[in-house]
Amino acid sequence: STSRVLSTEKNTSAASKDNTIEGASKSQQGTAETPKQKLLDIIGSMKVEVSYRKKLQQLKASEKKKQAVNQLNGPGSESPQRPTEDIQGGKLLNPDLVKAASAVASSLPLDKKQTESELLAQLRRHEETTDRQKKGEIINLRNVISEMTVKRQSPAQRGARISSRISLELDEDGQGIRPERFSSQSFVSRRYFFFFFVYRSLKVGKRLNIFTKASTEPEHAMKTVSSPTIWDLEFAKEIAAITAQPPRNGFEEMIQWTKEGILWEFPIDNEAGMEDDAEFHEHIFLEKHLEGFPKEGPIRHFMELVICGLSKNPYLSVKQKIEHIEWFEKYFEEKKEFLQEI
Amino acid sequence: VLPSPRSGQVRSHYVDWRMLRDVKRRKLAYEYADERLRINAIRKNTILPKELQEVADKEIAALPRDSCPVRIHNRCVLTSRPRGVRRRWRLSRIVFRHFADHAQMSGIQRAMW
């Protein structure tokens, strides 16, 4: 998650002001035009899905922001004016956006500081996605929309959730959603804007080069001494003899025998030791091997009978059958002069 | 190396020379089995010319004498007794009786009816 945060921060820092203004205008229109009820209706109707990782990041961001804000504002003061600078990301949010966020937060009957920080986090995220879109990254909207579902959180249980989520983060790879866990928890999504986020693979973003690829060393095939020496073999035999303890009971004895090949493996495999990868047609249609023979005459007749017999033989492998035929070929080759006399 | 807990007779030789000769015959017969089969296939034929078959006769006679499977004799595995050997157990009747009475033959019981 750290690499992800860094990469997003880099992206956000590189964003131009035009994007912020565009985004700001959009969101401002949204908050200014639609009254609170309309907004809430939209949020309620939409089904949005968030992954745990994203949520955790948001939470962390919101917590940090809260701490920073508390430090700045002092205890107990809730000024609607928020500092325009985003403390964590270093990115400049439009002051209008911030004002709108604070207004929404104040309008909603929930913890205002928290809502504000979360809204700002959402806005930041929105900016990031728009930046990425501007940069030409392909976002498959279909995938995104199909993956969206409801996420809700009860405000009272947040504190308990944070710790559980921190432990959960270790389990996830940041890609998928765990529907079982989500169904067990119930959220209330009123305070969130709906937002898009794109599923990313693990390879997106700048490489941190923390882990270097194991350099593929050329295998040391060439040794000065022809491997292995007799002493090496003797040593290996010694070690094997010492480590091979005599069997303590009948089971170990049977295991040893099975390893040596004295005892069959159970359940008995009828085809143990037989590795015939050839198809049936290679066993039966053996005429193609008869090319070395004359096309007429008693030899051909004889060989056809041989092939007929081989095709019915289930006990030989294809190799053995071919060897059989080749032996006859060689034999008749040697006897050729003799045969021509006849 | 610790000695194996099983203590039994260590037999490094075959029981007698006849058994050893039988072992040699079996090995040779295994080696030449394919060739013998093929040459016999040429010999026992009505299609091929007779001259060819006579040549094959001579060839098979030229093979080592111990390579023919007919010379193998099923002797007792433990005592090398040539007669009175039960094929299923490869043991002579005396050895078989000895083991059966000591209950070392699986599934064998004294008959009584």
Side-chain angles (χ1 to χ4, degrees):
Chain A
S1 68
T2 50
S3 65
R4 224 192 170 112
V5 169
L6 287 169
S7 64
T8 53
E9 281 175 0
K10 281 179 196 171
N11 283 341
T12 54
S13 58
S16 62
K17 283 226 167 175
D18 300 332
N19 305 333
T20 60
I21 291 164
E22 254 192 52
S25 61
K26 272 190 197 169
S27 59
Q28 204 188 14
Q29 279 177 7
T31 51
E33 290 176 353
T34 63
K36 171 187 168 184
Q37 285 178 355
K38 212 178 170 186
L39 196 137
L40 289 174
D41 290 339
I42 290 166
I43 291 166
S45 62
M46 279 291 296
K47 297 205 166 187
V48 179
E49 210 176 49
V50 188
S51 78
Y52 264 125
R53 171 164 283 179
K54 292 265 172 183
K55 273 229 160 141
L56 186 61
Q57 284 176 2
Q58 292 157 32
L59 282 170
K60 282 183 185 170
S62 63
E63 280 168 62
K64 280 188 192 175
K65 226 222 151 172
K66 235 197 297 179
Q67 286 172 9
V69 160
N70 286 336
Q71 282 171 9
L72 281 174
N73 292 342
S77 64
E78 289 180 12
S79 60
Q81 304 269 332
R82 287 277 178 243
T84 54
E85 282 190 9
D86 178 25
I87 293 151
Q88 184 189 2
K91 189 202 165 190
L92 292 174
L93 278 180
N94 204 330
D96 295 336
L97 266 179
V98 175
K99 275 187 192 170
S102 64
V104 166
S106 55
S107 63
L108 292 173
L110 297 163
D111 187 9
K112 286 168 192 174
K113 283 189 190 174
Q114 265 191 339
T115 51
E116 265 211 58
S117 54
E118 283 163 6
L119 286 170
L120 288 167
Q122 297 312 319
L123 285 170
R124 244 182 287 125
R125 215 154 280 296
H126 190 67
E127 302 291 349
E128 289 162 28
T129 54
T130 49
D131 293 343
R132 281 185 202 142
Q133 283 181 7
K134 297 246 168 176
K135 284 178 189 175
E137 288 186 10
I138 301 162
I139 300 168
N140 200 350
L141 271 177
R142 261 193 201 166
N143 288 343
V144 169
I145 292 166
S146 63
E147 285 157 349
M148 292 191 197
T149 55
V150 174
K151 275 207 183 173
R152 300 174 175 194
Q153 191 187 25
S154 60
Q157 297 169 5
R158 283 191 114 234
R161 294 283 164 66
I162 289 161
S163 57
S164 65
R165 267 192 221 149
I166 290 163
S167 63
L168 281 169
E169 196 200 28
L170 297 169
D171 299 337
E172 288 188 41
D173 59 356
Q175 281 189 358
I177 307 145
R178 298 284 173 92
E180 315 105 31
R181 287 188 195 161
F182 272 120
S183 59
S184 63
Q185 301 164 1
S186 60
F187 290 42
V188 172
S189 68
R190 296 297 173 99
R191 63 177 90 188
Y192 292 95
F193 283 128
F194 56 89
F195 60 95
F196 294 104
F197 78 99
V198 182
Y199 277 137
R200 303 237 169 240
S201 65
L202 287 168
K203 294 189 183 176
V204 166
K206 272 196 187 176
R207 280 183 163 271
L208 290 175
N209 292 322
I210 296 169
F211 303 105
T212 52
K213 265 190 187 176
S215 60
T216 54
E217 293 176 4
E219 292 178 4
H220 301 293
M222 295 294 296
K223 288 184 186 176
T224 51
V225 187
S226 64
S227 60
T229 61
I230 298 166
W231 302 116
D232 291 337
L233 289 168
E234 282 300 312
F235 188 56
K237 280 185 200 171
E238 238 186 87
I239 289 169
I242 287 163
T243 51
Q245 293 297 317
R248 297 174 293 177
N249 50 37
F251 291 116
E252 291 194 5
E253 198 182 36
M254 286 208 279
I255 291 166
Q256 213 174 2
W257 284 347
T258 312
K259 281 182 196 169
E260 288 172 29
I262 299 166
L263 203 60
W264 285 348
E265 287 184 10
F266 296 96
I268 288 179
D269 177 23
N270 275 329
E271 291 175 13
M274 268 172 59
E275 287 175 23
D276 210 6
D277 304 325
E279 300 286 316
F280 74 98
H281 55 84
E282 291 173 44
H283 276 95
I284 291 168
F285 302 114
L286 297 161
E287 277 170 347
K288 55 186 170 181
H289 303 296
L290 276 192
E291 283 160 12
F293 295 95
K295 289 201 176 177
E296 284 180 354
I299 292 176
R300 183 76 183 196
H301 189 33
F302 172 72
M303 286 314 296
E304 278 171 12
L305 286 174
V306 165
I307 274 166
C308 177
L310 281 177
S311 66
K312 295 182 190 176
N313 191 335
Y315 302 108
L316 295 179
S317 67
V318 176
K319 275 188 187 174
Q320 284 171 326
K321 291 182 185 178
I322 295 170
E323 268 175 34
H324 200 85
I325 296 167
E326 279 171 7
W327 186 91
F328 276 112
E329 227 184 290
K330 235 184 352 177
Y331 185 81
F332 288 126
E333 282 290 316
E334 289 167 13
K335 307 293 174 208
K336 229 182 186 180
E337 310 93 26
F338 181 76
L339 287 168
Q340 276 155 10
E341 287 170 29
I342 306 165
Chain B
V1 180
L2 293 170
S4 58
R6 252 212 199 154
S7 63
Q9 290 181 351
V10 176
R11 305 182 188 110
S12 58
H13 296 87
Y14 285 107
V15 179
D16 53 8
W17 289 92
R18 280 168 284 179
M19 190 190 243
L20 195 129
R21 275 183 267 148
D22 198 53
V23 167
K24 279 190 212 167
R25 279 176 208 134
R26 283 169 196 265
K27 282 184 188 165
L28 272 183
Y30 182 81
E31 272 181 47
Y32 286 92
D34 291 336
E35 256 188 74
R36 287 192 96 94
L37 174 77
R38 287 155 191 170
I39 296 173
N40 269 326
I42 293 170
R43 280 171 67 219
K44 313 285 181 179
N45 229 328
T46 49
I47 305 160
L48 294 174
K50 282 183 188 174
E51 292 84 1
L52 190 63
Q53 286 172 1
E54 282 163 22
V55 170
D57 284 340
K58 285 176 200 167
E59 274 195 15
I60 202 167
L63 291 176
R65 194 164 278 196
D66 276 348
S67 64
C68 58
V70 191
R71 289 170 69 91
I72 297 169
H73 194 77
N74 295 323
R75 304 178 82 89
C76 171
V77 166
L78 293 179
T79 53
S80 180
R81 197 161 192 276
R83 292 188 172 95
V85 180
R86 297 299 289 173
R87 196 172 199 150
R88 185 171 166 181
W89 297 276
R90 300 179 189 175
L91 292 175
S92 81
R93 54 179 178 83
I94 302 153
V95 179
F96 175 83
R97 221 176 96 96
H98 176 267
F99 284 134
D101 287 341
H102 287 79
Q104 283 161 7
M105 295 295 277
S106 171
I108 301 296
Q109 195 190 25
R110 278 203 156 251
M112 185 166 40
W113 71 97

